[in-house]
Amino acid sequence: TVVIYQEQGGDYSSDETRIKIGNVVTNRVKSPNFPNTITEVVCAKNQWGNLSKTGLVLPSRASLPQEQEALQRAVDCAKRVLEGESLLPDNVVWAAEFARVEGVYEYVDGTYFCY
């Protein structure tokens, strides 16, 4: 939920893109190149904003009344991911505002999903 909300909390982002952010996390857990748990993946140094420093803490804006719908959408999408919904191939392990040299799978809602 934290990563999905932090990365794709805005109204401009579709639920499909939110699920893809969650898929990047679960794809990393499955990959031998990343840590083996969701917490370790999202709290890794230099990944997912400040989570390596704060742990799994929602940004302070999440407590604002106008953010409750976006937060609930992130929760709902995270549940779908944890129940097994996947919209990306397993080798897509990067999501960023910039393209990676290794290759772009797709660009959607301002995010590059890369190999």
Side-chain angles (χ1 to χ4, degrees):
T1 299
V2 174
V3 171
I4 292 171
Y5 176 76
Q6 179 176 286
E7 298 295 314
Q8 296 292 327
D11 289 335
Y12 66 88
S13 185
S14 68
D15 285 352
E16 288 78 16
T17 302
R18 287 176 169 88
I19 288 168
K20 289 175 183 177
I21 292 291
N23 292 157
V24 167
V25 172
T26 56
N27 284 352
R28 286 185 179 193
V29 171
K30 292 183 244 178
S31 170
N33 299 320
F34 294 93
N36 297 323
T37 70
I38 290 173
T39 300
E40 290 174 320
V41 164
V42 300
C43 293
K45 187 175 180 181
N46 298 323
Q47 304 297 311
W48 312 111
N50 288 322
L51 296 183
S52 65
K53 298 174 188 166
T54 64
L56 292 173
V57 177
L58 286 166
S60 60
R61 74 177 189 272
S63 63
L64 299 174
Q66 63 266 31
E67 287 294 308
Q68 296 314 295
E69 182 179 339
L71 180 58
Q72 186 59 54
R73 285 176 69 193
V75 168
D76 293 344
C77 289
K79 286 179 183 177
R80 290 168 63 182
V81 170
L82 292 174
E83 290 170 355
E85 186 169 345
S86 182
L87 303 176
L88 293 175
D90 287 350
N91 64 341
V92 176
V93 292
W94 300 99
E97 295 175 346
F98 54 89
R100 291 186 49 88
V101 174
E102 289 81 357
V104 174
Y105 174 73
E106 74 178 331
Y107 177 76
V108 62
D109 289 338
T111 301
Y112 289 93
F113 292 92
C114 302
Y115 306 103

Coordinates of all heavy atoms in Angstrom, one line a residue, residues 32-64:
P32 N 16.1 -13.3 -8.1 CA 17.3 -13.6 -7.3 C 18.2 -12.3 -7.1 O 19.1 -12.3 -6.3 CB 18.1 -14.7 -8.1 CG 17.6 -14.5 -9.5 CD 16.2 -14.0 -9.4
N33 N 17.9 -11.3 -7.9 CA 18.7 -10.1 -7.8 C 18.3 -9.1 -6.8 O 18.9 -8.0 -6.6 CB 18.7 -9.4 -9.2 CG 19.3 -10.3 -10.3 OD1 20.3 -11.0 -10.0 ND2 18.7 -10.3 -11.4
F34 N 17.2 -9.4 -6.0 CA 16.7 -8.5 -5.0 C 16.4 -9.2 -3.7 O 16.4 -10.5 -3.7 CB 15.4 -7.8 -5.6 CG 15.6 -7.0 -6.8 CD1 15.5 -7.5 -8.0 CD2 15.9 -5.6 -6.6 CE1 15.6 -6.6 -9.1 CE2 16.1 -4.8 -7.7 CZ 16.0 -5.3 -9.0
P35 N 16.1 -8.5 -2.7 CA 15.8 -9.2 -1.4 C 14.6 -10.1 -1.5 O 13.8 -10.0 -2.5 CB 15.5 -8.0 -0.4 CG 16.3 -6.9 -1.0 CD 16.2 -7.1 -2.5
N36 N 14.3 -10.9 -0.5 CA 13.3 -12.0 -0.6 C 12.0 -11.6 0.0 O 11.1 -12.5 0.0 CB 13.8 -13.2 0.1 CG 15.1 -13.8 -0.7 OD1 15.1 -13.7 -1.9 ND2 16.0 -14.2 0.1
T37 N 11.8 -10.5 0.6 CA 10.5 -10.1 1.2 C 10.1 -8.7 0.7 O 10.9 -7.9 0.3 CB 10.6 -10.0 2.7 OG1 11.4 -8.9 3.1 CG2 11.1 -11.3 3.3
I38 N 8.8 -8.5 0.8 CA 8.3 -7.2 0.4 C 8.9 -6.1 1.2 O 9.3 -5.0 0.6 CB 6.7 -7.2 0.4 CG1 6.1 -8.1 -0.6 CG2 6.2 -5.8 0.3 CD1 4.6 -8.3 -0.6
T39 N 9.0 -6.2 2.5 CA 9.5 -5.2 3.3 C 11.0 -4.9 2.9 O 11.4 -3.7 2.8 CB 9.4 -5.6 4.8 OG1 8.1 -5.8 5.2 CG2 10.1 -4.5 5.7
E40 N 11.8 -6.0 2.7 CA 13.2 -5.7 2.3 C 13.3 -5.1 1.0 O 14.2 -4.2 0.8 CB 13.9 -7.1 2.3 CG 14.2 -7.7 3.7 CD 14.8 -9.1 3.6 OE1 14.4 -9.9 2.7 OE2 15.6 -9.4 4.4
V41 N 12.4 -5.4 0.1 CA 12.4 -4.8 -1.3 C 12.1 -3.3 -1.2 O 12.8 -2.5 -1.7 CB 11.5 -5.5 -2.2 CG1 11.2 -4.7 -3.5 CG2 12.1 -6.9 -2.6
V42 N 11.0 -3.0 -0.5 CA 10.6 -1.6 -0.5 C 11.4 -0.7 0.4 O 11.5 0.5 0.2 CB 9.1 -1.4 -0.2 CG1 8.2 -2.2 -1.3 CG2 8.7 -1.9 1.2
C43 N 12.1 -1.3 1.4 CA 13.0 -0.5 2.3 C 14.4 -0.5 1.9 O 15.3 -0.1 2.7 CB 12.7 -1.0 3.7 SG 11.1 -0.6 4.3
A44 N 14.8 -1.1 0.7 CA 16.2 -1.2 0.3 C 16.7 0.3 0.0 O 15.9 1.2 -0.4 CB 16.3 -2.0 -1.0
K45 N 18.0 0.5 0.3 CA 18.6 1.8 0.1 C 18.4 2.3 -1.3 O 18.6 1.5 -2.3 CB 20.1 1.7 0.5 CG 20.8 3.0 0.5 CD 22.2 2.9 1.0 CE 22.8 4.2 1.0 NZ 24.2 4.2 1.4
N46 N 18.1 3.5 -1.5 CA 18.0 4.2 -2.7 C 16.8 3.7 -3.6 O 16.8 3.9 -4.8 CB 19.3 4.2 -3.5 CG 20.4 4.8 -2.8 OD1 20.2 5.9 -2.2 ND2 21.6 4.3 -2.9
Q47 N 15.9 3.1 -3.0 CA 14.7 2.6 -3.7 C 13.4 3.2 -3.0 O 13.4 3.4 -1.8 CB 14.6 1.1 -3.6 CG 15.8 0.4 -4.2 CD 16.0 0.6 -5.6 OE1 15.1 0.5 -6.4 NE2 17.2 1.0 -6.0
W48 N 12.4 3.5 -3.8 CA 11.1 3.9 -3.2 C 11.2 5.1 -2.3 O 10.7 5.0 -1.1 CB 10.4 2.7 -2.6 CG 10.4 1.5 -3.5 CD1 11.1 0.3 -3.2 CD2 9.7 1.3 -4.7 NE1 10.9 -0.6 -4.2 CE2 10.0 0.0 -5.1 CE3 8.9 2.0 -5.5 CZ2 9.5 -0.5 -6.3 CZ3 8.4 1.5 -6.6 CH2 8.7 0.3 -7.1
G49 N 11.8 6.1 -2.7 CA 11.8 7.3 -1.8 C 12.6 7.2 -0.6 O 13.7 6.6 -0.6
N50 N 12.0 7.6 0.5 CA 12.7 7.6 1.8 C 12.4 6.3 2.7 O 12.7 6.3 3.9 CB 12.4 8.8 2.6 CG 13.0 10.1 2.1 OD1 14.1 10.0 1.6 ND2 12.3 11.2 2.1
L51 N 11.8 5.3 2.1 CA 11.4 4.2 2.9 C 12.6 3.4 3.5 O 12.4 2.8 4.6 CB 10.5 3.2 2.1 CG 9.2 3.8 1.6 CD1 8.4 2.7 0.8 CD2 8.4 4.3 2.7
S52 N 13.8 3.6 2.9 CA 14.9 3.0 3.6 C 15.2 3.6 4.9 O 15.9 3.0 5.8 CB 16.1 3.0 2.6 OG 16.5 4.3 2.4
K53 N 14.8 4.9 5.1 CA 15.0 5.6 6.3 C 13.9 5.6 7.3 O 14.0 5.5 8.5 CB 15.4 7.1 6.0 CG 16.6 7.2 5.2 CD 16.8 8.7 4.7 CE 18.0 8.8 3.8 NZ 18.0 10.0 3.1
T54 N 12.6 5.6 6.7 CA 11.4 5.7 7.5 C 10.8 4.4 7.8 O 10.0 4.2 8.7 CB 10.4 6.6 6.9 OG1 10.0 6.0 5.6 CG2 10.9 8.0 6.6
G55 N 11.1 3.4 7.0 CA 10.3 2.1 7.1 C 9.0 2.3 6.3 O 8.8 3.2 5.6
L56 N 8.1 1.3 6.6 CA 6.8 1.4 5.9 C 5.9 2.4 6.5 O 4.9 2.0 7.2 CB 6.2 0.0 5.9 CG 7.0 -1.1 5.1 CD1 6.4 -2.5 5.3 CD2 6.9 -0.7 3.6
V57 N 6.1 3.6 6.2 CA 5.3 4.7 6.8 C 4.7 5.5 5.6 O 5.4 5.9 4.7 CB 6.2 5.6 7.7 CG1 5.4 6.8 8.2 CG2 6.8 4.9 8.8
L58 N 3.4 5.7 5.7 CA 2.8 6.5 4.7 C 3.2 8.0 4.8 O 3.5 8.5 5.9 CB 1.2 6.5 4.9 CG 0.5 5.2 4.5 CD1 -0.9 5.2 5.1 CD2 0.5 5.1 3.0
P59 N 3.3 8.7 3.7 CA 3.6 10.1 3.7 C 2.6 10.8 4.5 O 1.4 10.4 4.6 CB 3.5 10.5 2.2 CG 3.6 9.3 1.4 CD 3.1 8.2 2.3
S60 N 3.0 11.9 5.1 CA 2.1 12.7 6.0 C 0.8 13.1 5.3 O -0.3 13.2 5.9 CB 2.8 13.9 6.6 OG 3.2 14.7 5.6
R61 N 0.9 13.4 4.0 CA -0.3 13.8 3.3 C -1.4 12.8 3.3 O -2.6 13.1 3.0 CB 0.1 14.2 1.8 CG 0.3 13.1 0.9 CD 0.6 13.5 -0.5 NE 0.7 12.4 -1.4 CZ 1.8 11.7 -1.7 NH1 2.9 12.0 -1.1 NH2 1.8 10.7 -2.5
A62 N -1.1 11.5 3.5 CA -2.1 10.5 3.5 C -3.2 10.7 4.6 O -4.3 10.1 4.5 CB -1.4 9.1 3.7
S63 N -2.9 11.5 5.6 CA -3.9 11.7 6.7 C -4.9 12.8 6.3 O -5.9 13.0 7.0 CB -3.2 12.1 8.0 OG -2.4 13.3 7.8
L64 N -4.6 13.5 5.2 CA -5.5 14.6 4.8 C -6.9 14.1 4.3 O -6.9 13.0 3.6 CB -4.9 15.5 3.7 CG -3.6 16.2 4.1 CD1 -2.9 16.8 2.9 CD2 -3.8 17.2 5.2

